[in-house]
Amino acid sequence: MMKTEILPTHTKALFAAAVQRAAALLRAGEVVALPTETVYGLAANALDAAAVAKIYAIKGRPTHNPIIVHVAGVEMAMRCVANWPLSARKLARSFWPGPLTLVLPRAKAIPDIVTAGGDTVGVRWPSHPFIQAVIRECGFPLAAPSANPSNEISPTNAAHVAKKLAGKIALVVDGGQSQVGIESTVIDLTANPPRVLRPGMIHEESLLAVLGNLQSSILNPQSSTVLRSPGQLAKHYSPKARLIVLNWRDAADLRQQLETRNPKLETCHIIAHTHIPSESGFASVSVIPHDAEAFARALYAELHRCDEADAELIIVEALPDAPEWRAIADRLRRAAA
Ligand code: TXA
Ligand code: MG
């Protein structure tokens, strides 16, 4: 077990000190947990195979699952890839820095372990100012998966990370609550037309508007079942508790639907957005606003909280069927699988 430092960043001086500390550890080949706007990442020097190997060990991540490379700027992204097509230029101009990962042919500089031996690499320029400052300070890109044990829910604050990884990493930097709250959209630009491998808050309609062409998993659901991205396994991002998604009219209707399942109500946690049942009987009823961005921002923290409360069943109110909700619905499907 190593001692895990948790560094705050809420003043200019603390921010600068944490950048220096994180960069020193990263230069020394260590792994550190850093905030990003999507979820917290477990970062190492992407050009140092031995450092990246530590990420796999800490997460218990299967070595066939490639890791996203984080950059600070388009120029650094271009050094990670073998070519930079027009599609990448357009998407970077529209959505970077931000929650979008571009899968492109890899540059030789990127070690095998980052790409899981494949010939493509995922690159992303995150918008969170802290990780940007660290990457600029280091001068090298950072390989970073979500900072959770493999298959568990991604962390959206420093406490989530510390709870699972304290003792295993030297540093967690506290950069506040992740503003997006679910993982980036991953788009494969080596496919023609490009294809979304993992939905995210930058949704297919927005990508289509910029690219003019996209293999749509909505219009053509079969195409999305091909396992191109190991993160797309049906069961992923899971809380300990069983999770179900239900539609209900009111509290009585919800109770009636639950009767057949016969759960212990005192271990049932409800996450609702529109039809709010009364607390009576349930362990908790939490309300996330009926707004896709607010819902995404809050969802994982709710699931972490349910796990901590030893929930047996998490019941989430069904989501609207609209483009901006699809990535959230995807995460709920995986959590429920
Ligand atoms: O928002 C995010 O993307 C966060 C933050 C930390 O940046 N990172 C993240 O990483 O979610 P991770 O490792 O938990 O998920 C990365 C996903 C996985 O499904 C992985 O298989 C896929 O991206 N991926 C990475 N590189 C790929 C590649 N070259 N080809 C296809 N899929 C790739
Ligand atoms: Mg992950």
Side-chain angles (χ1 to χ4, degrees):
M1 294 285 270
M2 64 172 87
K3 191 180 168 325
T4 302
E5 229 182 320
I6 300 179
L7 290 181
T9 58
H10 57 272
T11 70
K12 232 175 163 180
L14 290 170
F15 185 101
V19 168
Q20 290 307 317
R21 180 74 185 128
L25 286 163
L26 289 162
R27 281 191 212 102
E30 291 303 322
V31 171
V32 302
L34 304 178
T36 91
E37 75 280 19
T38 55
V39 300
Y40 274 62
L42 194 58
N45 179 353
L47 307 180
D48 178 346
V52 176
K54 293 180 186 171
I55 295 177
Y56 283 91
I58 292 164
K59 279 183 65 93
R61 183 182 181 95
T63 50
H64 58 74
N65 194 356
I67 298 181
I68 295 170
V69 172
H70 296 70
V71 297
V74 168
E75 228 165 75
M76 190 184 273
M78 290 171 73
R79 276 184 266 135
C80 298
V81 301
N83 61 60
W84 188 249
L86 180 61
S87 55
R89 221 155 65 216
K90 286 180 173 170
L91 292 174
R93 200 189 310 133
S94 301
F95 301 114
W96 274 7
L100 180 66
T101 297
L102 309 180
V103 172
L104 287 160
R106 72 195 266 201
K108 288 200 185 74
I110 304 297
D112 277 337
I113 190 163
V114 173
T115 68
D119 45 22
T120 63
V121 62
V123 288
R124 176 165 108 79
W125 178 5
S127 67
H128 196 291
F130 188 83
I131 191 168
Q132 289 195 5
V134 172
I135 297 168
R136 278 196 300 269
E137 176 64 27
C138 289
F140 48 74
L142 297 179
S146 52
N148 51 280
S150 203
N151 288 330
E152 295 186 15
I153 308 159
S154 295
T156 53
N157 63 39
H160 294 157
V161 180
K163 174 113 180 102
K164 299 289 181 157
L165 298 183
K168 295 186 171 167
I169 55 180
L171 174 65
V172 179
V173 175
D174 185 347
Q177 198 69 35
S178 292
Q179 287 300 296
V180 176
I182 66 171
E183 303 82 357
S184 63
T185 306
V186 179
I187 184 168
D188 182 2
L189 296 181
T190 70
N192 191 13
R195 195 160 65 107
V196 172
L197 301 178
R198 179 174 70 184
M201 293 309 280
I202 295 178
H203 50 74
E204 288 194 354
E205 278 76 355
S206 304
L207 296 167
L208 182 60
V210 170
L211 289 173
N213 203 355
L214 190 71
Q215 287 179 57
S216 173
S217 58
I218 297 158
L219 300 176
N220 181 13
Q222 291 90 327
S223 77
S224 69
T225 60
V226 186
L227 189 71
R228 284 289 311 276
S229 198
Q232 293 310 97
L233 293 169
K235 187 170 179 65
H236 208 89
Y237 313 109
S238 301
K240 279 183 286 174
R242 201 153 59 83
L243 183 148
I244 58 174
V245 177
L246 289 180
N247 249 309
W248 60 83
R249 284 186 307 275
D250 52 31
D253 179 32
L254 172 60
R255 263 169 237 281
Q256 195 174 9
Q257 292 187 51
L258 287 176
E259 246 163 48
T260 56
R261 297 167 189 268
N262 199 24
K264 285 185 251 123
L265 288 192
E266 65 277 13
T267 61
C268 283
H269 293 247
I270 312 284
I271 300 175
H273 52 77
T274 300
H275 301 106
I276 320 299
S278 68
E279 293 269 352
S280 59
F282 299 116
S284 77
V285 174
S286 41
V287 181
I288 311 184
H290 184 88
D291 163 293
E293 287 183 0
F295 201 96
R297 194 176 300 132
L299 176 64
Y300 286 172
E302 287 296 336
L303 299 183
H304 280 287
R305 186 187 54 73
C306 290
D307 267 355
E308 243 170 75
D310 287 322
E312 274 177 29
L313 184 63
I314 303 170
I315 304 159
V316 184
E317 185 175 5
L319 305 176
D321 180 24
E324 65 273 23
W325 289 92
R326 279 187 195 124
I328 308 167
D330 168 82
R331 301 305 189 276
L332 287 180
R333 253 192 317 277
R334 290 172 206 289

